[in-house]
Amino acid sequence: MQDSTSLKNIESQVFSISSENYKSMMLAPDGMLLLGKRAENAAEFMDKFEKGGKLSFQAKVEFEKFKNFVVEKGETKVNIGYKKLLELGVPGHLEFESEADLDAALAYIEQKWMFNRTEKQLSPLKATVPYLIGLAATLFLTGYVIYINTVGGTFRVNIITMLLIKLSEMIGFIGTVLLGVVISAFVIRALWKAFKNPPVELRLEPLSI
């Protein structure tokens, strides 16, 4: 439990983050400030935030808009849910530089915004779902790229698929298969690890929910 002085110190702390369009974050009693530029301190952050600019990403998200914050213990990435299904201009996750930074931010949210904290160990099935999806996607993309290179012709594909096709052309059929096998092996290893030792999920939700 953070004391009032520690909570006040967090309000003057600039968190370095990695997210969609945002690189820095600050917390306040009424919400979260997000900035698409790096800032070394609160003064620099607020100066850049207030100046803004057409090419500058920035946002203020009131705490009432958040539905939940979900993180697997030991990780530095927190997934964010919103009360509105389509909340524009806000990140779906934040990646912090360290566990200490993430813990400090979550402690502030829990105490200052009055969010309820729960922790539970995921079931083996729930823990492996993301990896099963990743494995299926890897196998599908590998087979799809091989099929297009084998059959030839003109297909309407997005830029990512086009880059994969070009890579496949460079490394050849055997190289494409080997790359798919290597990626699948990494995913299967992570899947097995999650199944054998499911992580503990930490969740913060408004007390009103």
Side-chain angles (χ1 to χ4, degrees), residues 66-108:
F66 294 107
K67 181 180 180 180
N68 56 49
F69 295 85
V70 182
V71 60
E72 292 182 3
K73 296 201 73 173
E75 297 294 325
T76 56
K77 176 183 174 182
V78 58
N79 294 306
I80 304 173
Y82 299 90
K83 292 178 181 178
K84 284 186 180 180
L85 186 60
L86 295 175
E87 191 71 52
L88 301 178
V90 294
H93 71 272
L94 297 175
E95 182 85 36
F96 287 75
E97 284 193 337
S98 68
E99 281 187 60
D101 280 353
L102 176 55
D103 289 343
L106 294 178
Y108 182 92

Side-chain angles (χ1 to χ4, degrees), residues 26-39:
M26 290 190 70
L27 293 170
D30 58 346
M32 178 185 293
L33 300 177
L34 296 159
L35 186 66
K37 299 176 181 178
R38 294 292 183 193

Side-chain angles (χ1 to χ4, degrees), residues 11-22:
E11 291 176 7
S12 62
Q13 180 176 349
V14 177
F15 294 93
S16 295
I17 58 171
S18 299
S19 184
E20 306 100 333
N21 303 324
Y22 301 110

Side-chain angles (χ1 to χ4, degrees), residues 2 33 36 54 56 59 74 85 105-106 109 111 130-131 140 155 186 190 194:
Q2 301 271 1
L33 300 177
K54 293 182 179 180
S56 175
L85 186 60
L106 294 178
I109 291 168
Q111 296 175 54
Y131 301 104
F140 172 79
F155 297 84
F186 276 108

Side-chain angles (χ1 to χ4, degrees), residues 23-154:
K23 297 181 180 179
S24 302
M25 181 200 76
M26 290 190 70
L27 293 170
D30 58 346
M32 178 185 293
L33 300 177
L34 296 159
L35 186 66
K37 299 176 181 178
R38 294 292 183 193
E40 296 299 323
N41 52 59
E44 182 184 353
F45 182 99
M46 293 309 301
D47 182 61
K48 290 180 178 179
F49 190 88
E50 290 169 1
K51 286 181 179 178
K54 293 182 179 180
L55 300 179
S56 175
F57 289 101
Q58 61 187 70
K60 180 176 181 179
V61 190
E62 291 78 9
F63 74 85
E64 296 95 341
K65 293 183 177 181
F66 294 107
K67 181 180 180 180
N68 56 49
F69 295 85
V70 182
V71 60
E72 292 182 3
K73 296 201 73 173
E75 297 294 325
T76 56
K77 176 183 174 182
V78 58
N79 294 306
I80 304 173
Y82 299 90
K83 292 178 181 178
K84 284 186 180 180
L85 186 60
L86 295 175
E87 191 71 52
L88 301 178
V90 294
H93 71 272
L94 297 175
E95 182 85 36
F96 287 75
E97 284 193 337
S98 68
E99 281 187 60
D101 280 353
L102 176 55
D103 289 343
L106 294 178
Y108 182 92
I109 291 168
E110 178 187 1
Q111 296 175 54
K112 200 71 174 181
W113 296 357
M114 300 298 289
F115 274 50
N116 183 52
R117 176 189 292 249
T118 58
E119 295 184 16
K120 69 173 183 179
Q121 187 168 33
L122 297 179
S123 67
L125 179 60
K126 187 173 182 180
T128 56
V129 166
Y131 301 104
L132 289 171
I133 294 173
L135 179 61
T138 300
L139 295 175
F140 172 79
L141 282 174
T142 302
Y144 181 65
V145 169
I146 291 174
Y147 172 78
I148 290 179
N149 279 341
T150 302
V151 175
T154 303

